[in-house]
Amino acid sequence: MREFELLQHIYSTAGAPSQRVLLPPGDDMAMVSLTGRAMLVAVDQIVDGQHVDLSTTPIELVGRKAVTRSLSDVAAMAAIPIAALAAATLPRDFGQQRATALFDAMRETADRYRCSIVGGDIAVHLKASSPLVCSVMVLAEPGPVPPVTRSGARVGDGVYVTGRLGGSLGPDGLGRHLTFEPRLDEALQLGRALGQRLHAMIDISDGLGRDASHLAQRSGVQIRIDAHRIPCHPGLDWRVAMSGGEDYELCFTAAGDVPHRLGELPVTLVGEVMQPAGPHGPLVLVRDGAQTFDGSQMGWEHRS
Ligand SMILES: [Mg+2]
């Protein structure tokens, strides 16, 4: 099963959205209209063995990641989190103490980002050895600019990433994918600094190559990336940095001048938005000296 193809099927077979759907599925968050106001909503889940490894990961970091993954999607829209719902299906032998620690960690993490957990659900697997599954749905409101979608990239835009990329798993699986900061404040700073010049944005969860291809596909453009500009973590090759995933940095396209830093966080120009390359051309083209590569497959796709 390929996640991307399944999602495309779900989107293509969905009926026409009601008029209250302001942003349909296919972005980091959807947006619906309440009476006169817009609300953004998204849900994400972590599964033991897939996104975390309970045998090596402290339960506090599991709870933290369950929340910060969803908050990273809020950042990708330059939106402001309001509240969250948390649901977990626990292994049969999980134990009261770990369950308490898990929910405490989710609540403390959500509180730290001013996003109270206001409800949820707990279930327990009946089958032995079924994994922990933890889902967090987050509600948000638009920030200083209208929510920044994946579909607004324009030919001539610069393509930028925040922070550094690659190696998030860490040598022992206990790396930055557990401890990253969702770029909420930085996304709002970008919105304030760039206004309508901030055209498209995504958080890098699958890897720069694959996530840039989501921007390119939704925007109907090609993204060209210069390999030597990619801000890799020290010692990493650009291919590793582009394809590792779980960086939870922001990738965005914008016109005109862009700040080089957001607080302490560097912002790097990595490429530009080009005319689409035609039906068989790559969505993401990476240039490394005289060589070019199809970057759109460089990243992590969940398969089973
Ligand atoms: Mg996302």
Side-chain angles (χ1 to χ4, degrees), residues 113-129:
Y113 296 98
R114 297 175 296 282
C115 178
S116 303
I117 292 181
V118 293
D121 190 46
I122 302 168
V124 177
H125 285 293
L126 287 181
K127 284 188 190 164
S129 78

Side-chain angles (χ1 to χ4, degrees), residues 28 73 150 203 205:
D28 287 285
D73 283 328
R150 298 177 177 184
D203 65 317
S205 54

Side-chain angles (χ1 to χ4, degrees), residues 13 19 47 65 124 134 206 252:
T13 54
Q19 287 187 337
V47 179
K65 183 175 181 180
V124 177
C134 199
D206 296 342
F252 63 94

Side-chain angles (χ1 to χ4, degrees), residues 27-29 44 69-70 72-74 76 150 202-205 211 248:
D27 224 296
D28 287 285
M29 301 186 82
D44 212 342
R69 260 166 71 88
S70 288
S72 186
D73 283 328
V74 179
R150 298 177 177 184
I202 191 169
D203 65 317
I204 303 174
S205 54
D211 285 317
Y248 300 105

Side-chain angles (χ1 to χ4, degrees), residues 232-254:
C232 307
H233 273 286
L236 293 183
D237 181 80
W238 66 265
R239 292 169 188 81
V240 175
M242 268 192 86
S243 53
E246 300 225 54
D247 301 293
Y248 300 105
E249 294 292 348
L250 299 171
C251 173
F252 63 94
T253 84

Side-chain angles (χ1 to χ4, degrees), residues 5-6 28 49 59 69-70 94 98 113 125 150 154 157 162 169 188-189 221 260 301:
E5 285 174 11
L6 179 59
D28 287 285
I59 196 67
R69 260 166 71 88
S70 288
F94 199 62
R98 277 206 298 178
Y113 296 98
H125 285 293
R150 298 177 177 184
R154 297 182 204 170
D157 281 356
T162 62
L169 202 57
L188 297 181
Q189 283 180 51
V221 297
H260 298 295
E301 183 180 34

Side-chain angles (χ1 to χ4, degrees), residues 25 44 51 66 81 87 97 103-104 121 136 164 169 176 199 204 236 274-275 280 289 297 303:
D44 212 342
H51 308 98
Q97 199 178 354
F103 280 91
D104 283 351
D121 190 46
V136 174
R164 293 186 171 278
L169 202 57
R176 283 179 301 278
H199 288 160
I204 303 174
L236 293 183
M274 313 293 290
Q275 297 281 358
H280 304 295
Q297 302 303 314
R303 281 169 181 261

